[in-house]
Amino acid sequence: MQTPYSHLIDLNDYPVTWWNKVVKLGAEIYQHPQRYVQACAGKIMATLFYEPSTRTQMSFQSAMIRLGGSIIGFDNPMSSSVSKGENLKDTTKVVSSYSDILIIRHPMAGSALAAAQTADCSVVNAGDGGHLHPTQTLTDLLTLHMEKGRLGHLTVGLCGDLLYGRTVHSLCKALSCYEGNEFVLISTPELQMPDYILKILDQSGCTYRVETSLDTAIGELDVLYMTRIQRERFASEAEYLAQRDVYCLTPEKMAHARPDLAVLHPLPRVDEISVAVDADARALYFKQAQYGMYIRMALILMLLESKPKHDLLHGIADAHLRCVNSKCITATESYLPHRFLQTDDGMVCEYCEERVL
Ligand code: ASP
């Protein structure tokens, strides 16, 4: 079930040297966009968005258009055959046969890995449930490269919904691969970073500390990455309401921050950054969204030009093991082969990385 295409499912499937190449190309395209206007002439990109999106979807679309290519796709699965009960495998199989690269966002963890198993073109994970969001991380890396001039030796505060926020999971995994980064994980006890990310930080040798107060931490940060409370991933509205409004970045708080702090946010903002902060030169989130288009131009070029990869699933099959995560793609797409990876901590599902033993 393995396909000979280059996919981006998880940034960690590639070496850091590859990420650096994408970032370098993104910076070059940002500086000289006119050199790339025909780079994808004749190519088609499909966007399958099973979940709402503004920036990710439109930045991918405008990236392809600026490269001279064309776009197809849906952003409301209910207007496609998904509404008639079509599974992910069939939709992917068909749409990938029309296109050269397929961008997928889906509410279930591991969905991009599932789609890549049947696709006849490159697949990019544009967000798989609360799991990962690698192209947001590439956006964040380009932003830090352009605005801070480095990807290591940064003190990075991540604030808000660290439990369900896929952007902070991907970003932590990536920044832990650069030397000298320190993390301050600012959240309520209920929305702390998942254990598997803390394990990755432990193994990387990066230092981190768990913090509940933004006021305490803000003065020591080079980067403050604010996040939205992920309402759609809570079991009940009451649980969401208990977490809403806990953190809000205001001009008063910014007064205690370093003069060269970079405030990032993957957007959409709800109420975790006061609009009054937008006028502060350290508020970089709108610029960050624009860098997202340039890095996606670079990514499309790199994937379309790269050599095929054949090794999609690495885990073992075990007839007695099943993933118990109800938010894992294997819970809804029953034909998928179940695969498990052995970690120091026990077996984890290869799709969603949840522990099974
Ligand atoms: N746009 C980001 C995402 O798709 C962040 C968010 O929705 O809060 O994960």
Side-chain angles (χ1 to χ4, degrees):
M1 289 286 274
Q2 292 167 353
T3 47
Y5 299 97
S6 294
H7 308 294
L8 176 59
I9 309 300
D10 178 341
L11 269 186
N12 294 72
D13 294 337
Y14 289 88
V16 176
T17 47
W18 186 86
W19 314 349
N20 292 340
K21 254 174 109 174
V22 186
V23 169
K24 212 172 144 210
L25 181 58
E28 144 76 17
I29 299 173
Y30 177 78
Q31 273 140 13
H32 305 286
Q34 71 287 352
R35 292 184 187 162
Y36 295 87
V37 290
Q38 285 302 315
C40 283
K43 301 283 185 196
I44 295 179
M45 180 185 77
T47 49
L48 300 186
F49 275 62
Y50 292 77
E51 261 197 342
S53 168
T54 301
R55 274 148 295 275
T56 305
Q57 188 192 22
M58 290 192 201
S59 64
F60 260 117
Q61 292 175 337
S62 45
M64 192 52 157
I65 292 167
R66 282 174 189 268
L67 291 168
S70 308
I71 55 171
I72 58 170
F74 61 68
D75 57 12
N76 174 9
M78 286 306 129
S79 66
S80 78
S81 286
V82 175
S83 66
K84 301 177 187 169
E86 185 168 69
N87 66 20
L88 180 63
K89 183 178 192 282
D90 294 359
T91 307
T92 303
K93 183 77 189 162
V94 173
V95 177
S96 66
S97 73
Y98 302 153
S99 45
D100 300 286
I101 184 164
L102 190 154
I103 318 298
I104 181 166
R105 169 170 290 191
H106 194 284
M108 304 299 271
S111 47
L113 178 59
Q117 287 172 50
T118 14
D120 289 325
C121 70
S122 295
V123 171
V124 176
N125 181 3
D128 58 334
H131 186 216
L132 295 173
H133 196 345
T135 70
Q136 178 64 49
T137 299
L138 287 173
T139 300
D140 303 338
L141 294 182
L142 178 61
T143 307
L144 293 175
H145 169 79
M146 299 295 285
E147 300 293 331
K148 300 296 291 182
R150 65 189 193 279
L151 298 176
H153 300 283
L154 292 166
T155 302
V156 182
L158 301 145
C159 178
D161 190 343
L162 307 189
L163 178 64
Y164 297 120
R166 56 194 171 195
T167 59
V168 282
H169 302 163
S170 286
L171 183 61
C172 252
K173 281 175 76 170
L175 286 181
S176 71
C177 297
Y178 291 90
E179 216 178 297
N181 285 329
E182 293 180 19
F183 300 91
V184 186
L185 308 175
I186 309 157
S187 76
T188 60
E190 293 79 11
L191 296 184
Q192 277 179 11
M193 199 59 104
D195 277 349
Y196 85 92
I197 300 288
L198 298 182
K199 285 259 149 46
I200 291 169
L201 293 182
D202 284 332
Q203 281 159 5
S204 73
C206 285
T207 52
Y208 69 88
R209 99 167 185 269
V210 172
E211 176 63 75
T212 52
S213 162
L214 176 56
D215 294 309
T216 307
I218 197 163
E220 66 191 91
L221 305 176
D222 297 309
V223 179
L224 173 58
Y225 199 94
M226 294 297 294
T227 62
R228 170 180 74 88
I229 305 299
Q230 307 280 297
R231 181 180 200 156
E232 66 277 27
R233 311 223 189 273
F234 281 77
S236 71
E237 183 71 359
E239 283 173 67
Y240 163 69
L241 291 175
Q243 297 295 329
R244 204 183 66 176
D245 302 332
V246 175
Y247 298 103
C248 182
L249 184 63
T250 58
E252 293 69 40
K253 287 193 174 70
M254 289 295 283
H256 301 287
R258 290 185 183 164
D260 62 348
L261 174 74
V263 180
L264 306 190
H265 189 309
L267 303 177
R269 158 182 52 191
V270 181
D271 46 18
E272 57 283 345
I273 301 181
S274 136
V275 288
V277 174
D278 297 357
D280 192 309
R282 296 168 292 181
L284 299 179
Y285 28 89
F286 294 120
K287 218 166 170 190
Q288 177 188 4
Q290 195 195 17
Y291 286 132
M293 179 181 72
Y294 292 101
I295 199 73
R296 289 179 173 106
M297 290 170 80
L299 176 67
I300 292 168
L301 282 176
M302 296 268 299
L303 289 181
L304 289 181
E305 286 168 6
S306 61
K307 291 208 181 73
K309 279 177 69 183
H310 296 268
D311 49 345
L312 214 46
L313 290 177
H314 309 282
I316 57 160
D318 183 327
H320 304 294
L321 282 183
R322 278 283 169 277
C323 178
V324 291
N325 178 8
S326 62
K327 293 177 178 167
C328 176
I329 191 70
T330 56
T332 49
E333 304 282 325
S334 54
Y335 54 84
L336 284 170
H338 288 240
R339 291 287 186 274
F340 303 93
L341 298 166
Q342 182 74 56
T343 68
D344 294 347
D345 233 18
M347 297 289 247
V348 299
C349 169
E350 185 161 5
Y351 295 87
C352 68
E353 297 183 71
E354 287 283 326
R355 240 183 103 169
V356 285
L357 269 183

